Amino acid sequence: MKILHLDSNHPLLISQLNALGFTNDEDYTSSKAAIERKIHKYDGFIIRSRFSIDKNFLDKATNLKFIGRVGAGLENIDCEYAESKKITLIAAPEGNRNAVGEHSLGMLLSLFNKLNKADKEVRNGKWLREENRGIELDGRTVGLIGYGNMGKSFAKKLRGFDVEVLCYDLKENVGDENCKQVSLAKLQEKADVLSLHTPQTDLTKNMINTPFINNFKKNFWLINTARGTSVVTKDLVASLKNGKILGAGLDVLEYEKSSFENLFSDNKMPEAFQYLINSEHVILSPHVAGWTVESKEKLAQTIVDKIQEKFS
């Protein structure tokens, strides 16, 4: 079988596939149109997020048996059409779930202890102890929306704290020893912290909006290491201003696909994002929750293992 690699990944991916007898070609620079002209030669291809895989692309991949996505989600692929053509879809959420769980916990503890604010102040000669008095996680309720690989990883990290962990998920019976599954209404009644661990779907797009936020009984903290499109930024900012959301840790933003760097030039920065970058109650990171040294290797290994299981 011939495999085309469209994004660079950990070298073990190609070396192990070579050892299994697959033929591996690499093309990290050609245009999508150029790839389409030769994709019929391949039985499989492996991609991260270089471009979307739509019906037109899939129609040209006449010999395709599988698509490997070195990441957790498959939202850049027309999955329904691919499956109709009997193409196996392989993702690797097992590969970076631990990284996402650790990053989520790190953001939450940083918010509770005002670490980013305190760090900046000390570096600028300010020694403000009372103003940086933190709060403790113990005794609070953490609510998770989405309880797959990422949600379960975060819940496992929380076992060392005296907290109640609740989850809401469309699938039934996903709760376990680390987390109790409840209705959305019950989660909104009890949660002090809300952490998102959902894929990008029509149901999750713009999910966190003003009505949704106001349905929470308590004021709460928000952690989003899932997808930026799930949160309506202007509604988040309004809730930060009125205190309904006490703080936010955001690894993903709705602006990512609109060229993040351009937001900082030519007066293109949305007012809501301007507020986020200036707020002491917000922590931002550049979509790196699952982006560790270890997860790079684990993601590649997961793809190899799944290809071997299915096609060797």
Side-chain angles (χ1 to χ4, degrees), residues 54-74:
D54 51 23
K55 289 182 179 180
N56 184 62
F57 187 96
L58 292 169
D59 282 339
K60 290 179 167 54
T62 51
N63 291 309
L64 199 63
K65 298 175 180 63
F66 74 86
I67 301 171
R69 165 100 207 293
V70 185
L74 294 166

Side-chain angles (χ1 to χ4, degrees), residues 118-223:
D119 175 77
K120 290 177 184 176
E121 290 174 354
V122 171
R123 291 172 187 272
N124 286 288
K126 297 179 181 179
W127 193 264
L128 305 175
R129 298 186 67 214
E130 186 59 38
E131 292 85 344
N132 287 301
R133 189 184 291 273
I135 59 172
E136 297 179 16
L137 184 54
D138 276 16
R140 302 184 189 274
T141 298
V142 180
L144 314 178
I145 296 184
Y147 202 60
N149 281 282
M150 310 305 166
K152 288 178 180 177
S153 175
F154 188 31
K156 184 178 179 181
K157 306 303 175 195
L158 291 166
R159 286 193 305 190
F161 297 87
D162 183 15
V163 295
E164 181 179 25
V165 184
L166 307 175
C167 68
Y168 170 73
D169 195 289
L170 294 178
K171 295 181 180 178
E172 296 181 355
N173 303 315
V174 297
D176 56 23
E177 68 275 11
N178 299 323
C179 181
K180 179 181 178 182
Q181 186 171 10
V182 297
S183 67
L184 179 59
K186 177 60 70 173
L187 185 146
Q188 289 176 315
E189 175 190 341
K190 299 197 68 177
D192 299 290
V193 175
L194 173 64
S195 186
L196 304 182
H197 300 280
T198 48
Q200 182 171 298
T201 68
D202 290 340
L203 289 175
T204 62
K205 186 175 182 181
N206 298 329
M207 175 176 62
I208 310 301
N209 54 29
T210 296
F212 185 95
I213 292 167
N214 289 339
N215 279 334
F216 280 76
K217 181 178 180 181
K218 305 176 186 177
N219 300 338
F220 65 97
W221 286 263
L222 174 68
I223 305 294

Side-chain angles (χ1 to χ4, degrees), residues 191-192 213-214 216-222 234-248 275 279 281:
D192 299 290
I213 292 167
N214 289 339
F216 280 76
K217 181 178 180 181
K218 305 176 186 177
N219 300 338
F220 65 97
W221 286 263
L222 174 68
K234 63 180 181 61
D235 291 358
L236 166 62
V237 167
S239 298
L240 285 164
K241 288 179 177 179
N242 66 32
K244 185 63 182 180
I245 293 182
L246 300 167
Y275 180 88
S279 175
H281 305 291

Side-chain angles (χ1 to χ4, degrees), residues 75-76 196-210 212-213 222-236 250-259 276 287:
E75 64 269 12
N76 62 328
L196 304 182
H197 300 280
T198 48
Q200 182 171 298
T201 68
D202 290 340
L203 289 175
T204 62
K205 186 175 182 181
N206 298 329
M207 175 176 62
I208 310 301
N209 54 29
T210 296
F212 185 95
I213 292 167
L222 174 68
I223 305 294
N224 187 12
T225 55
R227 292 293 182 262
T229 54
S230 294
V231 177
V232 180
T233 308
K234 63 180 181 61
D235 291 358
L236 166 62
L250 306 173
D251 181 54
V252 288
L253 297 165
E254 69 169 290
Y255 311 110
E256 288 179 63
K257 294 297 183 182
S258 58
S259 186
L276 292 181
H287 203 154

